[in-house]
Amino acid sequence: MGGGGGGGDGASGPELSTDNVKGIVLALLSSGFIGASFIIKKKGLRRAAVASGVRAGVGGYSYLMEPLWWVGMITMIVGEVANFVAYAFAPAVLVTPLGALSIIVSAVLAHFILNERLHALGVLGCVMCIAGSVVIVIHAPQEQEITSVREIWNMATQPAFLLYVASVIVIVFVLVFYFSPLYGQSNVLIYTAICSLMGSLSVMSVKALGTSLKLTFEGTNQLIYPETWFFMLVVATCVLTQMNYLNKALDTFNTAIVSPIYYVMFTTLTILASVIMFKDWSDQSPGSIISEICGLIVVLSGTILLHVTKDYERIPQSRSVWPLLLSN
């Protein structure tokens, strides 16, 4: 139990385990691939928009005929597969924060390849994102032992998590059918919120599915249980929704803005979902929990720095998210 009641010894134990090391390495590789895929896909979206005259952000799907977009999509799939496997070896609160690396990769590549300027404060923001994620990882709880997918199903059907799922579904429907048509093109939070909310559910299902496959490969067949196939259906539904609205966000807003905002919202919601479903904080000391929350605050502060140092040539002042945020 990293950073739990056991103090320093407890924090080092899970980090040295073979499974956790595998999870960390896979999560880092995943972030590298996913960060690069943002840039490759955006170049593909730009080419498709020039060729067809209709951008993905306003409903165009011509990018499906653009080879470069598919290269980016394949790169993202490789990253997601690595991420998927990482969740089978390590807890979500350990794997998810390592996605901060994708912010650094996408922001730096956008600076050099897409000419989306990353200022000095933006670099500091990237460093803060990494530092905050490291704090979260250090104090992350140890993963509990799971021997059957039905154990995860029992966690997923507890009243607290069912309430979270219902809340997510209602909010997503409101965002998609009301706020998206009105503010989707002017407020970056609309598309990223949809992706993040659905992402938090997909991670819980990915965790369940990954654990099921891991147990199956170890000799305990979990494919005979309908719960395994249900989690697979949830993963497919959530990923398709995320892909659609992530494309809209990338095509409409600066990559250096989309990546960090998507990351911090996705990470926060995923940790919240994991805490509710797996009760990750139930055996942790107040100090460890506070440290994890402080780590999230540091990451959020880093994304704010990245946001205020954005390239105004890509998004005019009138389309900035700040006036909308400040008006609330």
Side-chain angles (χ1 to χ4, degrees), residues 229-251:
W229 299 98
F230 177 80
F231 285 127
M232 188 179 299
L233 176 63
V234 174
V235 170
T237 301
C238 292
V239 167
L240 288 175
T241 303
Q242 287 176 266
M243 182 183 72
N244 182 40
Y245 283 93
L246 183 58
N247 282 331
K248 291 178 180 293
L250 285 173
D251 190 57

Side-chain angles (χ1 to χ4, degrees), residues 247-271:
N247 282 331
K248 291 178 180 293
L250 285 173
D251 190 57
T252 307
F253 302 98
N254 190 309
T255 303
I257 300 171
V258 174
S259 298
I261 291 179
Y262 173 55
Y263 166 75
V264 75
M265 294 179 68
F266 171 74
T267 300
T268 302
L269 291 169
T270 297
I271 290 178

Side-chain angles (χ1 to χ4, degrees), residues 53-246:
V54 181
R55 297 185 297 110
V58 292
Y61 292 94
S62 60
Y63 60 84
L64 294 175
M65 304 299 293
E66 173 56 51
L68 187 60
W69 183 86
W70 282 106
V71 171
M73 192 63 203
I74 292 172
T75 303
M76 175 170 279
I77 290 174
V78 171
E80 293 293 353
V81 169
N83 199 49
F84 175 88
V85 179
Y87 281 112
F89 289 98
V93 294
L94 177 61
V95 174
T96 306
L98 294 180
L101 179 62
S102 66
I103 298 176
I104 312 305
V105 173
S106 61
V108 171
L109 290 180
H111 177 78
F112 291 106
I113 297 177
L114 301 179
N115 296 320
E116 297 179 356
R117 296 184 60 193
L118 181 62
H119 301 274
L121 284 178
V123 175
L124 176 59
C126 290
V127 173
M128 292 178 68
C129 288
I130 292 295
S133 296
V134 169
V135 172
I136 295 172
V137 168
I138 290 174
H139 295 279
Q142 185 175 4
E143 182 178 20
Q144 55 186 292
E145 195 71 28
I146 296 175
T147 58
S148 170
V149 68
R150 288 192 166 177
E151 292 181 30
I152 304 180
W153 179 258
N154 290 334
M155 298 175 187
T157 53
Q158 59 185 307
F161 189 70
L162 288 177
L163 178 60
Y164 175 81
V165 172
S167 300
V168 166
I169 293 175
V170 170
I171 294 172
V172 167
F173 266 83
V174 172
L175 288 173
V176 169
F177 295 106
Y178 179 76
F179 287 100
S180 181
L182 295 177
Y183 307 112
Q185 295 293 306
S186 60
N187 192 329
V188 67
L189 296 180
I190 304 299
Y191 294 150
T192 52
I194 295 172
C195 293
S196 302
L197 287 164
M198 296 299 290
S200 68
L201 297 183
S202 69
V203 167
M204 298 303 101
S205 297
V206 162
K207 177 69 178 174
L209 185 58
T211 302
S212 299
L213 294 178
K214 178 186 175 185
L215 291 172
T216 299
F217 290 136
E218 290 176 349
T220 307
N221 187 11
Q222 302 295 306
L223 299 179
I224 60 175
Y225 299 118
E227 292 87 348
T228 300
W229 299 98
F230 177 80
F231 285 127
M232 188 179 299
L233 176 63
V234 174
V235 170
T237 301
C238 292
V239 167
L240 288 175
T241 303
Q242 287 176 266
M243 182 183 72
N244 182 40
Y245 283 93
L246 183 58

